[in-house]
Amino acid sequence: MKLTAQNIAVTFGKKDIVKNISVIVKKKQFVGLIGPNGCGKSTLLKSIYKSLTPKQGTVFLDDLNVLKSPEKKVSQQLGVVGQFNEMHFDLSVHQMVMLGRTPHKKMLESDTGKDYEIVEEALARTNLQSYKERSFLSLSGGEKQRVILARTIAQQPKFMILDEPTNHLDIRYQIEILSCVKELNIGVLAALHDLEMAAHYCDYIYAVKNGEIYAHGTPTEVLTPDTIEALYQIKCQTYINPVTNGLGFAYGLGGSL
């Protein structure tokens, strides 16, 4: 499934947060959004998955007009894993993951054997089988995020948006979540803070600065010392990481490394 977001603009008050951005994610492509805090990444994603309404622009998943279609219809195709997932009531992990089946059910329709089968598969993919009866609120941040991912997998989306889902997690959970998503083999648009993660998992990257696309291309084309300095105002050198065989980064402040 191909995502095409064209000419997206978002304004809060008199401030333009997202300025006429266009993004394309081809079928089964893992595409990253990078850029400093406040550059507009998360606002752009929220406008794409209908959490807020853009001032202008269009969003299509193949032929589905996302911004003009009912939320239930969109949710049958598009899944979202966000940054924060706090709740004021408690459910078991199994109940939380079962909520992913909601877009595919009629009002008051009971859970079926097929639903339970899909949920079990989602729990297995995220290594949560032993957590089924645990209270969601009792879990750590990384464990909660795996549950939210499992819920989204149970939704069986054909495209997934990751709205900065890993920036508050330790390295183990970052790798677990991004690896799991990559293995789904579906289209993904992800806002990421960690440049090494972006280099390792992304097929294509859009760099955002001040609400606009500053650069785009493959990780090696975008993640250059000049672009990183322009985005983050830090000096940087790149190298080949001997562990991942991908790009690594060395940073320095004060004009030198």
Side-chain angles (χ1 to χ4, degrees):
M1 178 162 275
K2 179 181 178 181
L3 172 76
T4 306
Q6 292 186 310
N7 306 119
I8 302 295
V10 180
T11 300
F12 292 150
K14 296 183 179 181
K15 185 174 178 59
D16 295 327
I17 306 299
V18 176
K19 306 170 186 176
N20 203 40
I21 285 182
S22 295
V23 171
I24 294 175
V25 182
K26 297 177 183 177
K27 184 178 181 181
K28 297 185 178 181
Q29 210 177 25
F30 195 120
V31 174
L33 290 176
I34 66 167
N37 289 334
C39 71
K41 302 187 304 294
S42 189
T43 299
L44 172 63
L45 290 184
K46 286 179 169 62
S47 67
I48 291 173
Y49 64 79
K50 300 184 68 171
S51 180
L52 57 83
T53 303
K55 181 174 69 174
Q56 70 172 46
T58 60
V59 179
F60 281 87
L61 280 169
D62 286 347
D63 296 326
L64 177 67
N65 189 329
V66 172
L67 300 183
K68 293 186 177 180
S69 298
E71 289 189 14
K72 184 173 182 177
K73 187 172 184 179
V74 173
S75 296
Q76 291 170 353
Q77 309 292 331
L78 174 64
V80 178
V81 178
Q83 181 176 358
F84 300 109
N85 299 286
E86 294 304 319
M87 295 176 58
H88 300 293
F89 59 93
D90 200 11
L91 295 172
S92 71
V93 167
H94 189 274
Q95 289 170 324
M96 280 289 294
V97 178
M98 185 62 78
L99 290 176
R101 301 303 302 149
T102 303
H104 302 280
K105 306 177 78 65
K106 298 176 182 178
M107 186 176 295
L108 303 180
E109 182 180 355
S110 299
D111 299 326
T112 66
K114 183 65 175 178
D115 292 323
Y116 278 92
E117 184 180 316
I118 290 168
V119 166
E120 287 297 327
E121 183 180 346
L123 289 167
R125 276 186 173 271
T126 50
N127 295 317
L128 288 170
Q129 301 100 314
S130 63
Y131 287 70
K132 286 195 297 185
E133 304 307 319
R134 290 274 302 274
S135 154
F136 178 76
L137 293 183
S138 72
L139 303 180
S140 70
E143 291 166 340
K144 286 179 180 177
Q145 203 68 322
R146 276 197 291 153
V147 174
I148 299 303
L149 176 58
R151 184 181 68 184
T152 307
I153 291 172
Q155 193 177 326
Q156 293 188 310
K158 296 180 177 62
F159 193 94
M160 191 177 291
I161 289 178
L162 308 181
D163 190 355
E164 300 186 353
T166 62
N167 69 326
H168 62 296
L169 304 181
D170 65 38
I171 188 68
R172 171 193 167 188
Y173 288 118
Q174 291 184 47
I175 292 171
E176 283 185 353
I177 287 171
L178 293 178
S179 295
C180 184
V181 172
K182 187 82 169 180
E183 290 168 3
L184 294 174
N185 200 28
I186 61 175
V188 177
L189 179 60
L192 299 170
H193 275 292
D194 189 303
L195 298 185
E196 290 201 35
M197 293 291 181
H200 182 70
Y201 289 99
C202 294
D203 304 306
Y204 200 86
I205 291 175
Y206 288 89
V208 182
K209 182 178 180 181
N210 297 327
E212 300 177 290
I213 299 298
Y214 179 83
H216 61 93
T218 64
T220 53
E221 291 170 338
V222 173
L223 298 174
T224 65
D226 287 345
T227 297
I228 291 169
E229 183 176 3
L231 292 176
Y232 301 102
Q233 286 78 57
I234 57 172
K235 295 291 184 180
C236 173
Q237 290 183 352
T238 61
Y239 61 92
I240 299 301
N241 187 318
V243 176
T244 65
N245 203 33
L247 282 177
F249 305 87
Y251 305 106
L253 298 175
S256 63
L257 290 170

